[in-house]
Coordinates of all heavy atoms in Angstrom, one line a residue:
M15 N 0.9 -1.2 0.0 CA 0.0 0.0 0.0 C 0.9 1.2 0.0 O 1.9 1.3 0.8 CB -0.9 0.0 1.2 CG -2.0 1.0 1.2 SD -3.1 0.9 2.7 CE -3.9 -0.6 2.5
N16 N 0.6 2.2 -0.9 CA 1.5 3.4 -0.9 C 1.1 4.3 0.2 O 0.0 4.2 0.9 CB 1.5 4.0 -2.3 CG 0.2 4.7 -2.6 OD1 -0.5 5.2 -1.7 ND2 -0.1 4.7 -3.9
E17 N 1.9 5.3 0.4 CA 1.7 6.3 1.5 C 0.4 7.0 1.4 O -0.3 7.2 2.4 CB 2.9 7.2 1.5 CG 3.2 7.8 2.9 CD 4.4 8.6 2.8 OE1 5.5 8.1 2.6 OE2 4.4 9.9 3.1
L18 N 0.1 7.4 0.2 CA -1.2 8.1 0.0 C -2.4 7.3 0.4 O -3.3 7.8 1.0 CB -1.3 8.6 -1.5 CG -2.3 9.6 -1.8 CD1 -2.0 10.9 -1.1 CD2 -2.3 9.9 -3.3
L19 N -2.4 6.0 0.0 CA -3.5 5.2 0.4 C -3.6 5.0 1.9 O -4.7 5.0 2.4 CB -3.4 3.8 -0.3 CG -3.8 3.8 -1.8 CD1 -3.5 2.4 -2.4 CD2 -5.3 4.1 -1.9
L20 N -2.4 4.9 2.5 CA -2.4 4.7 4.0 C -3.1 5.9 4.7 O -3.9 5.8 5.6 CB -1.0 4.5 4.5 CG -0.5 3.1 4.5 CD1 1.0 3.1 4.9 CD2 -1.3 2.2 5.4
V21 N -2.7 7.1 4.2 CA -3.2 8.3 4.7 C -4.7 8.4 4.5 O -5.5 8.7 5.4 CB -2.5 9.6 4.1 CG1 -3.3 10.9 4.5 CG2 -1.1 9.6 4.6
A22 N -5.2 8.0 3.3 CA -6.6 8.1 3.0 C -7.3 7.1 3.8 O -8.4 7.4 4.3 CB -6.8 7.7 1.5
S23 N -6.8 5.9 4.0 CA -7.5 4.9 4.8 C -7.6 5.3 6.3 O -8.6 5.1 7.0 CB -7.0 3.5 4.6 OG -5.7 3.4 5.1
S24 N -6.5 5.9 6.8 CA -6.6 6.3 8.2 C -7.6 7.4 8.4 O -8.2 7.5 9.4 CB -5.2 6.6 8.8 OG -4.8 7.8 8.4
D25 N -7.7 8.3 7.4 CA -8.7 9.3 7.5 C -10.1 8.8 7.5 O -10.9 9.2 8.2 CB -8.6 10.3 6.3 CG -7.4 11.3 6.4 OD1 -6.8 11.3 7.5 OD2 -7.1 12.0 5.5
A26 N -10.3 7.7 6.7 CA -11.6 7.1 6.6 C -12.0 6.4 7.9 O -13.1 6.5 8.4 CB -11.6 6.0 5.5
V27 N -11.0 5.8 8.6 CA -11.2 5.1 9.9 C -11.6 6.2 10.9 O -12.6 6.1 11.6 CB -10.0 4.3 10.4 CG1 -10.1 3.9 11.8 CG2 -9.8 3.1 9.5
E28 N -10.8 7.3 10.9 CA -11.1 8.4 11.8 C -12.5 9.0 11.6 O -13.2 9.2 12.5 CB -10.0 9.5 11.7 CG -9.9 10.3 12.9 CD -8.7 11.1 12.9 OE1 -7.6 10.5 12.9 OE2 -8.7 12.4 13.0
E29 N -12.8 9.1 10.3 CA -14.1 9.7 10.0 C -15.2 8.8 10.5 O -16.3 9.3 11.0 CB -14.2 9.9 8.5 CG -15.2 10.9 8.0 CD -15.0 11.2 6.6 OE1 -14.1 11.9 6.2 OE2 -15.9 10.7 5.8
T30 N -15.0 7.5 10.3 CA -16.1 6.5 10.8 C -16.2 6.6 12.3 O -17.4 6.6 12.8 CB -15.6 5.1 10.4 OG1 -15.4 5.0 9.0 CG2 -16.7 4.1 10.7
V31 N -15.1 6.7 13.0 CA -15.2 6.8 14.4 C -15.9 8.0 14.8 O -16.8 8.0 15.7 CB -13.8 6.7 15.1 CG1 -13.8 7.1 16.5 CG2 -13.2 5.4 14.9
L32 N -15.6 9.1 14.2 CA -16.2 10.4 14.6 C -17.6 10.5 14.1 O -18.5 11.0 14.8 CB -15.4 11.6 14.0 CG -14.0 11.8 14.6 CD1 -13.3 13.0 13.8 CD2 -14.2 12.2 16.0
S33 N -18.0 9.8 13.0 CA -19.3 10.0 12.5 C -20.4 9.4 13.4 O -21.4 10.0 13.6 CB -19.5 9.5 11.1 OG -19.3 8.1 11.1
W34 N -20.1 8.3 14.1 CA -21.1 7.8 15.0 C -21.2 8.7 16.2 O -22.3 8.9 16.7 CB -20.9 6.3 15.4 CG -19.8 6.0 16.4 CD1 -18.6 5.5 16.1 CD2 -19.9 6.1 17.8 NE1 -17.9 5.3 17.3 CE2 -18.7 5.7 18.4 CE3 -20.9 6.5 18.7 CZ2 -18.4 5.7 19.7 CZ3 -20.6 6.5 20.1 CH2 -19.4 6.1 20.6
Q35 N -20.1 9.3 16.7 CA -20.2 10.2 17.8 C -20.9 11.4 17.5 O -21.6 12.0 18.3 CB -18.8 10.5 18.3 CG -18.1 9.2 18.9 CD -16.7 9.4 19.4 OE1 -16.1 10.4 19.1 NE2 -16.2 8.4 20.1
D36 N -20.9 11.8 16.2 CA -21.6 13.0 15.8 C -23.1 12.8 15.9 O -23.9 13.7 16.0 CB -21.3 13.4 14.3 CG -20.0 14.1 14.2 OD1 -19.4 14.5 15.3 OD2 -19.5 14.2 13.1
R37 N -23.5 11.5 15.8 CA -25.0 11.1 15.8 C -25.4 10.7 17.2 O -26.5 10.1 17.3 CB -25.3 10.1 14.7 CG -25.1 10.7 13.3 CD -25.5 9.7 12.2 NE -24.6 8.7 12.1 CZ -24.9 7.4 12.0 NH1 -26.1 7.0 11.9 NH2 -24.0 6.5 11.9
A38 N -24.5 10.8 18.2 CA -24.9 10.3 19.5 C -26.0 11.2 20.1 O -25.9 12.4 20.2 CB -23.6 10.4 20.4
L39 N -27.0 10.5 20.5 CA -28.2 11.2 21.1 C -27.9 11.8 22.4 O -28.4 12.8 22.8 CB -29.4 10.2 21.2 CG -30.8 10.7 21.2 CD1 -31.1 11.7 20.1 CD2 -31.8 9.6 21.3
C40 N -27.0 11.2 23.2 CA -26.7 11.7 24.5 C -26.0 13.1 24.4 O -26.0 13.8 25.4 CB -25.8 10.7 25.2 SG -24.3 10.2 24.3
A41 N -25.4 13.4 23.3 CA -24.8 14.7 23.1 C -25.8 15.8 23.2 O -25.5 17.0 23.5 CB -24.0 14.8 21.8
Q42 N -27.1 15.5 23.0 CA -28.1 16.5 23.1 C -28.9 16.5 24.4 O -29.9 17.1 24.6 CB -29.2 16.2 22.0 CG -28.6 16.2 20.6 CD -29.5 15.6 19.6 OE1 -30.7 15.6 19.8 NE2 -29.0 15.0 18.6
T43 N -28.3 15.7 25.4 CA -29.0 15.6 26.7 C -28.0 15.9 27.8 O -26.9 16.3 27.5 CB -29.6 14.1 26.9 OG1 -28.5 13.2 27.0 CG2 -30.5 13.7 25.8
D44 N -28.4 15.6 29.0 CA -27.6 15.8 30.2 C -26.5 14.8 30.3 O -26.8 13.6 30.6 CB -28.5 15.8 31.4 CG -27.7 16.0 32.7 OD1 -26.5 16.3 32.6 OD2 -28.3 15.7 33.8
P45 N -25.3 15.1 30.0 CA -24.2 14.1 30.0 C -24.0 13.5 31.4 O -23.6 12.3 31.5 CB -23.0 14.9 29.6 CG -23.3 16.3 29.7 CD -24.8 16.5 29.7
E46 N -24.4 14.2 32.5 CA -24.2 13.6 33.8 C -25.1 12.4 34.0 O -24.7 11.5 34.9 CB -24.5 14.7 34.9 CG -23.4 15.7 34.9 CD -23.5 16.7 36.1 OE1 -24.3 16.4 37.0 OE2 -22.8 17.7 36.0
A47 N -26.2 12.3 33.3 CA -27.1 11.1 33.5 C -26.3 9.8 33.0 O -26.7 8.7 33.5 CB -28.3 11.3 32.6
F48 N -25.3 10.0 32.2 CA -24.6 8.8 31.6 C -23.4 8.4 32.5 O -22.8 7.4 32.3 CB -24.1 9.1 30.2 CG -25.2 9.2 29.3 CD1 -26.0 10.3 29.1 CD2 -25.6 8.1 28.5 CE1 -27.1 10.3 28.3 CE2 -26.7 8.1 27.7 CZ -27.5 9.2 27.6
F49 N -23.1 9.2 33.5 CA -22.1 8.9 34.5 C -22.6 9.2 35.9 O -22.1 10.1 36.6 CB -20.8 9.8 34.2 CG -20.2 9.4 32.8 CD1 -20.5 10.2 31.7 CD2 -19.3 8.4 32.7 CE1 -20.0 9.8 30.5 CE2 -18.8 8.1 31.5 CZ -19.1 8.8 30.4
P50 N -23.6 8.4 36.3 CA -24.2 8.6 37.6 C -23.2 8.2 38.7 O -22.3 7.4 38.5 CB -25.4 7.6 37.6 CG -25.1 6.6 36.6 CD -24.2 7.2 35.6
E51 N -23.5 8.8 39.9 CA -22.7 8.4 41.1 C -22.9 7.0 41.4 O -24.0 6.4 40.9 CB -23.2 9.3 42.3 CG -22.9 10.8 42.2 CD -21.5 11.1 42.4 OE1 -20.9 10.6 43.3 OE2 -21.0 12.0 41.6
K52 N -22.0 6.4 42.1 CA -22.2 5.0 42.5 C -23.6 4.8 43.2 O -23.9 5.5 44.1 CB -21.1 4.6 43.5 CG -20.9 3.1 43.6 CD -19.7 2.8 44.4 CE -19.6 1.4 44.9 NZ -19.4 0.4 43.9
G53 N -24.4 3.8 42.7 CA -25.7 3.6 43.2 C -26.8 4.5 42.6 O -28.0 4.3 42.9
G54 N -26.4 5.5 41.8 CA -27.3 6.4 41.2 C -28.1 5.7 40.1 O -27.7 4.6 39.6
S55 N -29.2 6.3 39.7 CA -30.1 5.7 38.7 C -29.5 5.8 37.2 O -28.9 6.8 36.9 CB -31.4 6.4 38.7 OG -32.2 5.9 37.6
T56 N -29.6 4.7 36.5 CA -29.2 4.7 35.1 C -30.4 4.7 34.2 O -30.2 4.7 33.0 CB -28.4 3.4 34.8 OG1 -29.2 2.3 35.1 CG2 -27.1 3.4 35.7
R57 N -31.6 4.8 34.7 CA -32.8 4.7 33.9 C -32.9 5.7 32.8 O -33.2 5.4 31.7 CB -34.0 4.8 34.9 CG -35.3 4.4 34.1 CD -36.5 4.5 35.0 NE -36.4 3.7 36.2 CZ -37.1 3.8 37.3 NH1 -38.0 4.8 37.3 NH2 -36.9 3.1 38.3
E58 N -32.6 7.0 33.2 CA -32.8 8.1 32.2 C -31.8 7.9 31.0 O -32.2 8.0 29.9 CB -32.6 9.4 32.9 CG -32.7 10.6 32.0 CD -34.1 10.7 31.3 OE1 -35.1 10.1 31.8 OE2 -34.2 11.3 30.2
A59 N -30.6 7.6 31.4 CA -29.6 7.4 30.3 C -30.0 6.2 29.4 O -29.9 6.3 28.2 CB -28.2 7.1 30.9
K60 N -30.4 5.1 30.0 CA -30.7 4.0 29.2 C -31.9 4.2 28.3 O -32.0 3.7 27.2 CB -31.0 2.8 30.1 CG -29.8 2.2 30.7 CD -30.1 1.0 31.6 CE -28.8 0.4 32.1 NZ -29.1 -0.7 33.0
R61 N -32.8 5.1 28.8 CA -34.0 5.5 28.0 C -33.6 6.2 26.8 O -34.1 6.0 25.7 CB -35.0 6.3 28.9 CG -36.4 6.5 28.3 CD -37.2 7.5 29.1 NE -36.6 8.8 29.2 CZ -36.6 9.7 28.2 NH1 -37.3 9.4 27.1 NH2 -36.0 10.9 28.3
V62 N -32.6 7.1 26.9 CA -32.1 7.8 25.8 C -31.4 6.9 24.8 O -31.6 6.9 23.6 CB -31.1 8.9 26.2 CG1 -30.4 9.6 25.0 CG2 -31.8 10.0 27.1
C63 N -30.6 5.9 25.3 CA -29.9 5.0 24.4 C -30.9 4.2 23.6 O -30.5 3.8 22.4 CB -29.1 4.0 25.3 SG -27.7 4.8 26.1
V64 N -32.0 3.8 24.1 CA -33.0 3.0 23.4 C -33.3 3.7 22.0 O -33.5 3.0 21.0 CB -34.3 2.7 24.2 CG1 -35.4 2.2 23.4 CG2 -34.0 1.8 25.3
G65 N -33.4 5.0 22.0 CA -33.8 5.7 20.8 C -32.6 6.2 20.0 O -32.8 7.0 19.1
C66 N -31.4 5.8 20.4 CA -30.2 6.3 19.7 C -29.8 5.4 18.5 O -29.8 4.2 18.6 CB -29.0 6.3 20.7 SG -27.5 6.9 20.0
D67 N -29.6 6.1 17.3 CA -29.3 5.4 16.1 C -27.9 4.7 16.1 O -27.7 3.8 15.3 CB -29.3 6.4 14.9 CG -30.7 6.8 14.6 OD1 -31.6 6.2 15.0 OD2 -30.8 7.9 13.9
V68 N -27.0 5.1 17.0 CA -25.7 4.5 16.9 C -25.4 3.7 18.2 O -24.2 3.6 18.6 CB -24.6 5.7 16.7 CG1 -24.7 6.3 15.4 CG2 -24.8 6.7 17.8
R69 N -26.4 3.1 18.7 CA -26.2 2.3 19.9 C -25.2 1.2 19.7 O -24.4 0.9 20.6 CB -27.6 1.7 20.3 CG -27.6 1.1 21.6 CD -29.0 0.7 22.0 NE -29.0 -0.1 23.2 CZ -30.1 -0.7 23.7 NH1 -31.3 -0.5 23.1 NH2 -30.0 -1.4 24.8
A70 N -25.3 0.5 18.6 CA -24.4 -0.7 18.4 C -23.0 -0.2 18.2 O -22.1 -0.8 18.8 CB -24.9 -1.4 17.1
E71 N -22.8 0.9 17.5 CA -21.4 1.4 17.3 C -20.8 1.8 18.7 O -19.7 1.6 19.0 CB -21.4 2.6 16.4 CG -21.7 2.2 14.9 CD -23.2 2.3 14.6 OE1 -24.0 2.1 15.5 OE2 -23.5 2.5 13.4
C72 N -21.7 2.5 19.5 CA -21.3 3.0 20.8 C -20.9 1.8 21.7 O -19.8 1.9 22.4 CB -22.4 3.8 21.4 SG -22.2 4.3 23.1
L73 N -21.7 0.8 21.7 CA -21.4 -0.4 22.6 C -20.1 -1.1 22.1 O -19.2 -1.4 22.9 CB -22.5 -1.4 22.6 CG -22.4 -2.6 23.4 CD1 -22.1 -2.2 24.9 CD2 -23.6 -3.5 23.3
E74 N -20.0 -1.2 20.8 CA -18.7 -1.8 20.3 C -17.5 -1.0 20.7 O -16.5 -1.6 21.1 CB -18.9 -1.9 18.7 CG -17.9 -2.8 18.1 CD -18.1 -2.8 16.6 OE1 -19.3 -2.8 16.1 OE2 -17.1 -2.7 15.8
Y75 N -17.6 0.3 20.6 CA -16.5 1.2 20.9 C -16.1 1.0 22.4 O -15.0 0.8 22.8 CB -16.9 2.6 20.7 CG -15.8 3.6 21.1 CD1 -14.8 4.0 20.1 CD2 -15.7 4.1 22.3 CE1 -13.8 4.9 20.5 CE2 -14.8 5.0 22.7 CZ -13.8 5.4 21.8 OH -12.8 6.3 22.2
A76 N -17.1 1.0 23.3 CA -16.9 0.8 24.7 C -16.2 -0.5 25.0 O -15.3 -0.6 25.9 CB -18.2 0.9 25.5
L77 N -16.7 -1.6 24.3 CA -16.1 -2.9 24.6 C -14.6 -2.9 24.1 O -13.8 -3.5 24.8 CB -16.9 -4.0 23.9 CG -18.3 -4.2 24.5 CD1 -19.2 -5.1 23.7 CD2 -18.3 -4.6 26.0
E78 N -14.4 -2.4 22.9 CA -13.1 -2.4 22.3 C -12.1 -1.6 23.2 O -10.9 -1.9 23.3 CB -13.1 -1.8 20.9 CG -13.4 -2.8 19.8 CD -13.5 -2.1 18.5 OE1 -13.1 -0.9 18.3 OE2 -14.0 -2.8 17.6
H79 N -12.6 -0.5 23.7 CA -11.7 0.4 24.5 C -11.8 0.2 26.0 O -11.2 1.0 26.7 CB -12.0 1.9 24.1 CG -11.7 2.2 22.7 ND1 -12.5 2.0 21.7 CD2 -10.6 2.8 22.2 CE1 -11.9 2.4 20.6 NE2 -10.7 2.9 20.8
D80 N -12.5 -0.9 26.4 CA -12.5 -1.3 27.8 C -13.0 -0.1 28.6 O -12.3 0.2 29.7 CB -11.2 -1.8 28.2 CG -11.3 -2.7 29.4 OD1 -12.4 -3.1 29.8 OD2 -10.3 -2.9 30.1
E81 N -14.0 0.6 28.2 CA -14.5 1.7 29.0 C -15.1 1.2 30.3 O -16.0 0.4 30.3 CB -15.6 2.5 28.2 CG -15.0 3.2 27.0 CD -14.2 4.5 27.3 OE1 -14.2 4.9 28.5 OE2 -13.6 5.1 26.4
R82 N -14.6 1.7 31.4 CA -15.0 1.2 32.7 C -16.2 2.0 33.3 O -16.9 1.4 34.2 CB -13.8 1.2 33.7 CG -12.7 0.3 33.2 CD -13.1 -1.2 33.5 NE -12.2 -2.1 32.8 CZ -11.2 -2.7 33.3 NH1 -11.0 -2.6 34.6 NH2 -10.5 -3.6 32.6
F83 N -16.4 3.2 32.9 CA -17.3 4.0 33.6 C -18.4 4.5 32.7 O -18.2 4.7 31.5 CB -16.6 5.2 34.3 CG -15.6 4.9 35.2 CD1 -14.2 5.0 34.8 CD2 -15.9 4.3 36.5 CE1 -13.2 4.6 35.7 CE2 -14.9 3.9 37.3 CZ -13.5 4.1 37.0
G84 N -19.6 4.6 33.2 CA -20.7 5.2 32.5 C -21.6 4.3 31.7 O -21.3 3.1 31.6
I85 N -22.6 4.8 31.1 CA -23.5 4.0 30.3 C -23.0 4.2 28.8 O -22.9 5.3 28.4 CB -25.0 4.6 30.4 CG1 -25.4 4.6 31.8 CG2 -25.9 3.8 29.5 CD1 -25.5 3.2 32.5
W86 N -22.8 3.1 28.2 CA -22.4 3.1 26.8 C -23.3 2.1 26.0 O -23.4 0.9 26.5 CB -21.0 2.7 26.6 CG -20.0 3.6 27.1 CD1 -19.6 3.8 28.4 CD2 -19.1 4.5 26.4 NE1 -18.7 4.8 28.5 CE2 -18.3 5.2 27.3 CE3 -19.0 4.8 25.0 CZ2 -17.4 6.2 26.8 CZ3 -18.1 5.7 24.6 CH2 -17.3 6.4 25.5
G87 N -23.9 2.5 24.9 CA -24.7 1.6 24.2 C -25.9 1.0 25.0 O -26.3 -0.1 24.7
G88 N -26.3 1.7 25.9 CA -27.5 1.3 26.7 C -27.1 0.3 27.9 O -28.0 -0.2 28.6
L89 N -25.8 0.0 28.1 CA -25.4 -0.9 29.1 C -24.6 -0.2 30.2 O -23.7 0.6 29.8 CB -24.7 -2.1 28.5 CG -25.4 -3.0 27.5 CD1 -24.5 -4.2 27.2 CD2 -26.7 -3.5 28.1
S90 N -24.8 -0.6 31.4 CA -24.0 -0.1 32.5 C -22.6 -0.8 32.5 O -22.4 -1.8 31.8 CB -24.7 -0.3 33.8 OG -24.7 -1.7 34.1
E91 N -21.7 -0.3 33.3 CA -20.4 -1.0 33.5 C -20.6 -2.5 33.8 O -19.9 -3.3 33.2 CB -19.7 -0.2 34.6 CG -18.3 -0.7 34.9 CD -17.9 0.0 36.2 OE1 -18.5 1.0 36.6 OE2 -16.9 -0.5 36.8
R92 N -21.4 -2.7 34.8 CA -21.6 -4.1 35.2 C -22.2 -5.0 34.1 O -21.8 -6.1 33.9 CB -22.6 -4.1 36.4 CG -22.4 -5.4 37.2 CD -23.2 -5.4 38.5 NE -24.6 -5.3 38.2 CZ -25.6 -5.2 39.1 NH1 -25.3 -5.0 40.3 NH2 -26.9 -5.2 38.7
E93 N -23.2 -4.4 33.3 CA -23.8 -5.2 32.2 C -22.7 -5.5 31.1 O -22.7 -6.5 30.5 CB -25.0 -4.4 31.7 CG -26.1 -4.4 32.7 CD -27.2 -3.4 32.3 OE1 -26.9 -2.3 31.7 OE2 -28.3 -3.5 32.8
R94 N -21.8 -4.5 30.9 CA -20.8 -4.7 29.9 C -19.8 -5.8 30.3 O -19.3 -6.6 29.5 CB -20.1 -3.4 29.6 CG -20.9 -2.4 28.8 CD -20.1 -1.3 28.2 NE -19.2 -0.6 29.2 CZ -19.7 0.4 29.9 NH1 -20.9 0.8 29.9 NH2 -18.8 1.0 30.8
R95 N -19.5 -5.8 31.6 CA -18.6 -6.8 32.2 C -19.2 -8.2 32.0 O -18.5 -9.1 31.5 CB -18.4 -6.5 33.7 CG -16.9 -6.2 34.0 CD -16.6 -6.3 35.4 NE -17.6 -6.2 36.4 CZ -17.9 -5.1 37.1 NH1 -17.2 -4.0 36.9 NH2 -18.8 -5.1 38.0
K96 N -20.5 -8.3 32.3 CA -21.2 -9.6 32.1 C -21.2 -10.0 30.6 O -20.9 -11.2 30.3 CB -22.7 -9.5 32.5 CG -23.0 -9.9 33.9 CD -24.5 -10.0 34.0 CE -24.9 -9.6 35.4 NZ -26.4 -9.4 35.5
L97 N -21.4 -9.1 29.7 CA -21.4 -9.4 28.3 C -20.0 -9.8 27.9 O -19.9 -10.8 27.1 CB -21.8 -8.1 27.5 CG -22.0 -8.2 26.0 CD1 -23.3 -9.0 25.8 CD2 -22.2 -6.8 25.4
R98 N -19.0 -9.2 28.4 CA -17.6 -9.6 28.0 C -17.3 -11.0 28.5 O -16.7 -11.8 27.8 CB -16.7 -8.6 28.6 CG -15.4 -8.3 27.8 CD -14.5 -7.3 28.3 NE -14.9 -6.0 28.1 CZ -15.2 -5.1 29.0 NH1 -15.0 -5.4 30.3 NH2 -15.6 -3.9 28.7
R99 N -17.8 -11.3 29.7 CA -17.5 -12.6 30.3 C -18.2 -13.7 29.4 O -17.7 -14.8 29.2 CB -18.0 -12.7 31.7 CG -17.0 -12.2 32.7 CD -17.2 -12.8 34.1 NE -18.6 -12.4 34.6 CZ -18.8 -11.3 35.4 NH1 -17.8 -10.6 35.8 NH2 -20.0 -11.1 35.8
R100 N -19.4 -13.4 29.0 CA -20.2 -14.3 28.2 C -19.5 -14.6 26.8 O -19.6 -15.6 26.3 CB -21.6 -13.9 27.9 CG -22.6 -14.5 28.9 CD -24.0 -14.2 28.5 NE -24.5 -13.1 29.3 CZ -25.3 -12.1 28.8 NH1 -25.7 -12.1 27.6 NH2 -25.7 -11.1 29.6
A101 N -18.8 -13.5 26.3 CA -18.2 -13.6 25.0 C -16.9 -14.4 25.0 O -16.4 -14.9 24.0 CB -17.9 -12.2 24.5
V102 N -16.3 -14.6 26.2 CA -15.0 -15.3 26.3 C -15.3 -16.8 26.2 O -16.2 -17.3 26.7 CB -14.3 -15.0 27.7 CG1 -13.1 -15.8 27.9 CG2 -14.0 -13.5 27.7
Ligands
SF4_14 S1 -26.1 4.6 22.7 FE1 -26.4 5.9 24.5 S2 -24.4 6.4 25.2 FE2 -24.2 5.6 23.2 S3 -24.1 7.3 21.8 FE3 -26.2 6.6 21.9 S4 -27.2 7.8 23.6 FE4 -25.0 8.0 23.8

């Protein structure tokens, strides 16, 4: 692969990563709902996630990057841990 193609493909990857974040429904809401205090309610955040077009991309990103805190793709930290264990 030549240098120009490498640059073009890395731009495409970056664009893909950014494009789902641009469509994140949580960006239009209260971000604190997605990072509740320990024991706090996750209901409001999960309700927003249900209507989000990029839920799958968001969850995939969180699993790939081992995001430990907050609601991602409609799942809490504990739910993502369970999902990861089931996938092993
Ligand atoms: S799935 Fe939820 S956390 Fe992920 S981008 Fe959509 S609203 Fe935000």
Side-chain angles (χ1 to χ4, degrees):
M15 194 181 288
N16 71 30
E17 205 172 300
L18 193 60
L19 280 175
L20 272 177
V21 170
S23 67
S24 77
D25 282 353
V27 168
E28 199 165 304
E29 202 170 285
T30 304
V31 169
L32 290 177
S33 67
W34 77 259
Q35 291 176 348
D36 284 348
R37 293 185 288 137
L39 203 53
C40 52
Q42 300 164 32
T43 65
D44 175 13
E46 287 188 16
F48 290 80
F49 295 93
E51 295 286 317
K52 198 172 166 67
S55 174
T56 58
R57 190 182 304 162
E58 181 57 26
K60 287 179 175 179
R61 195 187 59 78
V62 174
C63 293
V64 166
C66 180
D67 288 344
V68 291
R69 189 173 171 185
E71 290 90 336
C72 175
L73 180 59
E74 193 180 318
Y75 177 91
L77 293 172
E78 270 175 16
H79 292 83
D80 202 17
E81 291 288 352
R82 297 285 165 103
F83 303 103
I85 304 296
W86 291 77
L89 299 185
S90 67
E91 178 191 345
R92 201 174 66 186
E93 291 163 335
R94 290 195 304 277
R95 245 195 336 260
K96 264 193 213 165
L97 187 67
R98 212 178 283 122
R99 273 202 301 265
R100 260 189 265 143
V102 174

